[in-house]
Amino acid sequence: MTWTFTGIAGLKALRHDEMPRLAHEIRQFLVDKVCRAGGHLGPNLGVVELTMALHRVFESPKDRIIFDTGHQAYVHKMLTGRGDAFDTLRKVGGLAGYPQASESEHDHVENSHASTALSYADGLSKSSRLGGERDRFVVAVIGDGAMTGGLAWEALNNLGESREPVVVVLNDNGRSYAPTIGGLARHLADLRTGCASGRNLFQLMGLHYLGPVDGHDVAAVEEALRQAAAGRRPTVVHCVTEKGRGYRPAETDETDRMHGIGVSDPVTGKTKPSSARSWTSVFGSEIAGIGADREDVVCLTAAMLRPVGLHEFAERFPGRVFDTGIAEQHAVTSAAGLALGGSHPVVCLYATFLNRALDQALMDVALHRLPVTFVLDRAGITGPDGPSHHGVWDIALLGHVPGMRIAAPRDAGQLAALLREAVDVAGPTAVRFPKADVGPEIPALRRMSGIDLLHRGKRLPLDVLVVAAGVTAPAALDAARLIEQKGYGVTVADPRWVLPVNPALVHLGARHRLVVTVEDGVKSGGMGTALAQACTEAGVRAPVLNLGVPRAFMSHGDRDTILADCGLDGPSIARTALNAMPAPALHNDFPSAKAAQ
């Protein structure tokens, strides 16, 4: 289908009786484009009419419309002139899956982490007032799932005391990924059904309240938004919507209403079956087995039970899994309480979302030397979701937490082994793995003081030691083959537990002429930095060269391409190592993975 709509001006010129046809065309377009490229389908199908009403009432970009989270902004992108770019959705150099200021003046906030929009709105509105701008609004669109995050309530607490003309559009579809949990969910259900009596929670906090409104009735939403704007005070407009609206496969998907999908058949909504196992599925099977063996093991998730692989554990041990909603800080400190009570909690998060709970990991878990295991899914470069979702900071951040041990498995067998080792540790631990299919098993030649030696050049000197963290092992082995073609001897070691530094790794480095560390996290403050410091303190003369993700926000695109651009593919590792040898030659005959494509 070709998108021919003429943008915001054309939208404002349409009659109300023309709205249903436009909404239908937008949904057809979304299904076609998102199924072909992959992306967030269900959330956007649910906000079609709501987004149309927003752009008919407010004057974007003068009036700032902020989406929390940004994965419900596809319709906004279409209406602001980017429909023709949807064939490039989430591809290298193409349309981002979240709002992005470099794409359009209509995008103001790029961070796609949940529960942030109300705080942004509070600050933006105050800034407008301080600058003497009285004729512009800030509109924050937030889902009921994101309202389970504590930051949203901190912002509401301030908005309720302000006189700022902030319009909070509560997109209430009863879900984040899965159905929204907790007291808030029950309160919103009471508001939807008219069972709530007296003043509701928002009114008690000092905000004006309008609703509930049928979020799929453009005229009704418009009227509520105009009332909110006319009041020029902080107002909640409660819109009830259906996630996945208008697309039967999404409407009948009980898991998450096709929240985020890969490339799919637009007619059936089905993805092409894959024989490959994901890291998440391997973890899910193993943690369920551990749960059967260890009654003290409990699991926590922040509104992502299925995405982090906990559904099997939940089915087998429903009383031992706890969904906190989108509340990572609470999840970690609640885990600390569980550990204080004698349980061994396993906190399952995307690596990027652990950033939000660093203080809790540091002060509530580690300070008390508690046995809490963090399982960090989507660690490293994640690919098409872009800078806010790359899980590249976990090693550097957790590496500074006293007593924290961090494991990075290279294959499925090591994930199973390291996970079991982690839950046996009496203090805090973390196990990280990527968003990818699990590759073949990588056997070790032998284990030396906890370190797996994966390769040793036969009848060659000890020239280069390549220390590979977790899933960088295949690239390290590829690099070893290329380096040895030039006559140098290479040892490839997998430390398994990447931090703290294993002293045996320092001794191994002292026997080589050059040490190269490879990790798929930021190299500043990561595994390599720690090993380099340990070698310096031990008087090791061999230089330690650190390879990793630069200290920058990496854009969206194909995971393997981004890793190659970071110098983390085999040819790049080999070239870097060869050029760092004491007597370098010209070694530019190894094409990068990107160039070979």
Side-chain angles (χ1 to χ4, degrees), residues 5 8 11-12 19 22-23 26-27 30 43-58 60 65 67 71-80 82 139 141 169 171 215-218 221-222 225 239 241:
F5 186 64
I8 294 176
L11 174 68
K12 289 178 180 288
M19 294 293 103
L22 176 59
I26 289 175
R27 286 192 170 92
L30 286 171
N44 288 286
L45 292 172
V47 297
V48 173
E49 291 88 356
L50 190 156
T51 309
M52 291 163 59
L54 283 169
H55 280 291
R56 282 170 62 88
V57 172
F58 295 101
S60 179
I65 301 174
F67 290 87
H71 56 52
Q72 58 184 328
Y74 289 9
V75 184
H76 164 77
K77 290 189 179 225
M78 294 169 64
L79 296 177
T80 53
R82 286 168 276 177
V139 184
V141 183
V169 179
N171 173 27
H216 300 297
D217 183 334
V218 176
V221 177
E222 278 188 50
L225 293 175
C239 297
T241 64

Side-chain angles (χ1 to χ4, degrees), residues 414-430:
Q414 284 303 300
L415 172 55
L418 286 167
L419 185 60
R420 287 186 176 269
E421 291 176 29
V423 297
D424 282 339
V425 173
T429 55

Side-chain angles (χ1 to χ4, degrees), residues 564-565 569 571-572 575 590-597:
D565 288 344
D569 61 318
S572 298
R575 185 185 308 108
F590 299 133
S592 69
K594 182 178 180 181
Q597 291 176 346

Side-chain angles (χ1 to χ4, degrees), residues 277 279 282-283 285-287 290 409-423 431 433 441 496:
R277 298 181 70 192
W279 285 91
V282 173
F283 161 72
S285 297
E286 190 61 29
I287 193 63
I290 290 173
R410 65 181 181 270
D411 56 30
Q414 284 303 300
L415 172 55
L418 286 167
L419 185 60
R420 287 186 176 269
E421 291 176 29
V423 297
V431 181
F433 49 81
E441 297 287 308
R496 302 179 73 249

Side-chain angles (χ1 to χ4, degrees), residues 66 108-111 113 116-125 138 155:
I66 303 169
H108 306 283
V109 174
E110 299 186 13
N111 179 14
H113 285 192
T116 59
L118 303 186
S119 295
Y120 279 122
D122 179 58
L124 280 168
S125 186
V138 180

